[in-house]
């Protein structure tokens, strides 16, 4: 049974930092993609950053607004994906979701939420000005 569990969200002031974690259990694929997505009230769920797990560790950031402030990383020994959020802004406030999908090594990891098969329950990030 696949399970993705996020943690690390919270409330911070603008300029602050948080580190999100997503622990994947039941994911035994030799290669798969994981990603972070976020959804603010009244808005579409959007990609934040994605990464290939277990093979290569190639990553991509889905928005220029986060590229120089957020860092995606993984710990394969723990099947865990991380997202370091620095220099947070009020517009970063959203529910942050972790997602995963099996993906062969010759296929890329996308920022399209419809590509992902499994989702966590989300962790709330609130940034006050």
């Amino acid at each position: 049974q696949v399970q993705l569990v996020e943690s690390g969200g919270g409330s911070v002031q603008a300029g602050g930092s948080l580190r999100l974690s997503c622990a994947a259990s039941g994911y035994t694929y030799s290669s798969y993609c994981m990603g972070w997505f976020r959804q603010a009230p009244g808005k579409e769920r959007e990609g934040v950053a994605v990464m290939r797990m277990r093979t290569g560790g190639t990553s991509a950031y889905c928005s220029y607004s986060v590229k120089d402030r957020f860092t995606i990383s993984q710990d394969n020994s723990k099947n865990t994906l991380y997202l370091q959020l620095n220099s947070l802004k009020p517009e970063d406030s959203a529910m942050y979701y972790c997602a995963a999908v099996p993906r062969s090594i010759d296929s890329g990891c996308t920022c399209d939420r419809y590509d992902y098969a499994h989702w966590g329950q989300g962790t709330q990030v609130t940034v006050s000005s």
Side-chain angles (χ1 to χ4, degrees):
Q1 181 180 357
V2 173
Q3 189 174 21
L4 303 178
V5 179
E6 302 101 331
S7 61
S11 297
V12 297
Q13 290 190 326
S17 298
L18 287 170
R19 189 192 194 205
L20 309 183
S21 299
C22 175
S25 59
Y27 239 79
T28 58
Y29 304 96
S30 60
S31 178
Y32 58 100
C33 295
M34 290 187 73
W36 287 100
F37 295 77
R38 66 185 181 183
Q39 187 168 19
K43 294 189 176 182
E44 294 281 322
R45 189 171 299 188
E46 64 176 359
V48 177
V50 298
M51 175 169 269
R52 177 174 297 284
M53 305 295 284
R54 296 211 174 136
T55 54
T58 304
S59 63
Y61 294 89
C62 307
S63 167
Y64 285 114
S65 69
V66 306
K67 188 174 181 180
D68 294 327
R69 299 184 295 120
F70 295 0
T71 303
I72 190 170
S73 62
Q74 62 178 288
D75 184 337
N76 280 322
S77 67
K78 298 179 180 179
N79 271 10
T80 300
L81 184 73
Y82 301 98
L83 186 68
Q84 178 69 40
L85 293 72
N86 295 330
S87 302
L88 281 161
K89 304 175 181 180
E91 52 263 42
D92 294 318
S93 296
M95 184 71 78
Y96 283 69
Y97 296 92
C98 171
V101 63
R103 186 60 46 90
S104 63
I105 188 64
D106 56 351
S107 298
C109 298
T110 78
C111 292
D112 185 347
R113 68 184 191 268
Y114 295 109
D115 277 353
Y116 290 79
H118 301 101
W119 291 84
Q121 293 300 306
T123 186
Q124 179 68 40
V125 172
T126 302
V127 185
S128 58
S129 57

